[in-house]
Amino acid sequence: MACRRASTSAKSLCAAAKSGQRGSKMAKVAFIGLGVMGYPMAGHLVAAGHQVRVYNRTQSKAQQWVSEHGGELGLTPAEAAGDAELVMLCVGNDDDLRSVVLGPDGALAGMAAGSVLVDHTTASADVARELAAVADKQQVAFLDAPVSGGQAGAENGVLTIMVGGEQAAFDRSAPVMDAYARSAVRLGPVGSGQLCKMVNQICIAGVVQGLAEGLHFAQQAGLDGEAVVDVISKGAAQSWQMENRSHTMLKGEYDFGFAVDWMRKDLDIALSEARRNGSQLPLTALVDQFYAEVQNMGGQRWDTSSLMARLTRSDKA
């Protein structure tokens, strides 16, 4: 069933169809973190028929979600996680994760032995291993499961999920994640999902910079940028970024997805991991500095394709 461009009325059918792909039964699920990704992801769980209780640090956002989707509201992460078979997290960074998982009000305080904690945050592999060790002490399984696909992927239920953790926990969780995923793949033990997401961000950084330079070159050479994209997108230069961002880049529009601030957070995680494992990431380090320049231009919330803005600004300097 093609769900990527499904209408609102069709999304419930899409989610329901996907929830049955791996033979899932309806589950009691908690979802913690209702940002631009978590808000629609939790909604897909309800549409798929799961019983959902949510928590968000800004309570009004959680109340809004409940008014739109039904389900229940937890006043703390622990309350949201109470009696849940699976607890999904989607917050900002390592510190945010610790704040909603650990302590007397954290999710683990409300989770029963045998339940599964699934973290969709893009964070470090270290914090994944740290939280997995704490969860294991109370017989709770942990999966690090960062996602790719951006806000549009979350809204349309077609995210790609990179998972680290035990196979048994993955097998239990994958049918539920199908509500908002096009693909969920287990890559190895805890930490593997986060490491794979680092690879994802490293590759995106290089592709976006190459695309920005190519479009900039086309403009400087006096070519019709749209015509150039139409030609080269049918060959080896084609990419998701070209298909989805080139037209807005040519117009100088950068309000279409993942923010520069978040990309820098992700690249910092990847560069820190590279220093530990001996990887050589010269292009990634360079593009990270280019994003710092975009931030200094006031583009903290522009999307990642705004590397183009840095090049066009230089022309006018």
Side-chain angles (χ1 to χ4, degrees):
M1 188 172 190
C3 300
R4 176 173 292 192
R5 293 182 173 84
S7 65
T8 301
S9 61
K11 284 178 184 175
S12 294
L13 294 174
C14 289
K18 289 197 291 182
S19 71
Q21 287 176 359
R22 307 191 200 210
S24 69
K25 64 181 181 66
M26 299 304 99
K28 290 185 177 181
V29 184
F31 204 104
I32 296 171
L34 300 175
V36 295
M37 301 292 287
Y39 198 100
M41 290 165 71
H44 285 299
L45 291 171
V46 172
H50 300 293
Q51 183 177 330
V52 182
R53 185 183 296 134
V54 297
Y55 168 82
N56 194 66
R57 184 168 51 187
T58 302
Q59 191 179 113
S60 60
K61 191 75 172 287
Q63 291 170 332
Q64 177 185 335
W65 185 92
V66 170
S67 70
E68 290 181 12
H69 298 283
E72 301 176 36
L73 171 65
L75 298 180
T76 66
E79 183 178 314
D83 78 7
E85 300 163 66
L86 294 101
V87 176
M88 272 64 176
L89 310 169
C90 193
V91 294
N93 55 37
D94 288 19
D95 290 339
D96 292 333
L97 272 174
R98 294 185 181 99
S99 72
V100 298
V101 172
L102 304 176
D105 292 327
L108 279 174
M111 296 180 71
S115 55
V116 183
L117 184 58
V118 182
D119 177 29
H120 290 308
T121 308
T122 296
S124 70
D126 284 346
V127 79
R129 298 181 188 112
E130 172 191 330
L131 296 180
V134 177
D136 185 62
K137 291 179 181 177
Q138 62 185 71
Q139 298 180 299
V140 171
F142 181 90
L143 299 176
D144 59 298
V147 301
S148 181
Q151 184 176 349
E155 291 173 349
N156 293 316
V158 291
L159 293 168
T160 296
I161 308 180
M162 299 151 262
V163 186
E166 294 297 325
Q167 184 70 50
F170 174 75
D171 290 341
R172 287 181 58 196
S173 306
V176 177
M177 292 189 289
D178 276 342
Y180 44 75
R182 173 169 50 192
S183 172
V185 178
R186 176 183 174 270
L187 294 146
V190 168
S192 300
Q194 297 295 353
L195 292 170
C196 183
K197 181 61 184 286
M198 294 174 209
V199 175
N200 187 78
Q201 303 305 76
I202 290 165
C203 293
I204 288 173
V207 170
V208 176
Q209 178 62 22
L211 178 59
E213 291 184 15
L215 296 179
H216 172 63
F217 179 92
Q219 290 178 328
Q220 292 296 102
L223 297 172
D224 181 331
E226 295 285 356
V228 168
V229 169
D230 185 60
V231 172
I232 68 174
S233 64
K234 295 178 175 61
Q238 192 276 338
S239 68
W240 185 97
Q241 299 292 338
M242 181 177 290
E243 179 181 351
N244 291 275
R245 295 288 177 262
S246 60
H247 305 293
T248 51
M249 290 168 74
L250 286 167
K251 296 175 183 177
E253 299 173 355
Y254 307 115
D255 190 26
F256 299 93
F258 194 62
V260 168
D261 278 352
W262 291 111
M263 185 60 158
R264 287 214 72 204
K265 182 264 292 186
D266 291 359
L267 294 181
D268 180 65
I269 292 170
L271 291 165
S272 295
E273 186 67 34
R275 286 191 288 271
R276 284 192 289 269
N277 68 24
S279 301
Q280 301 297 310
L281 303 180
L283 178 58
T284 303
L286 182 61
V287 176
D288 180 56
Q289 290 308 301
F290 291 163
Y291 277 125
E293 292 182 32
V294 174
Q295 287 177 316
N296 291 334
M297 293 168 59
Q300 296 92 336
R301 302 302 300 172
W302 293 348
D303 70 63
T304 52
S305 70
S306 58
L307 287 170
M308 181 80 170
R310 174 185 161 274
L311 299 175
T312 56
R313 180 200 63 169
S314 296
D315 295 340
K316 300 172 184 177

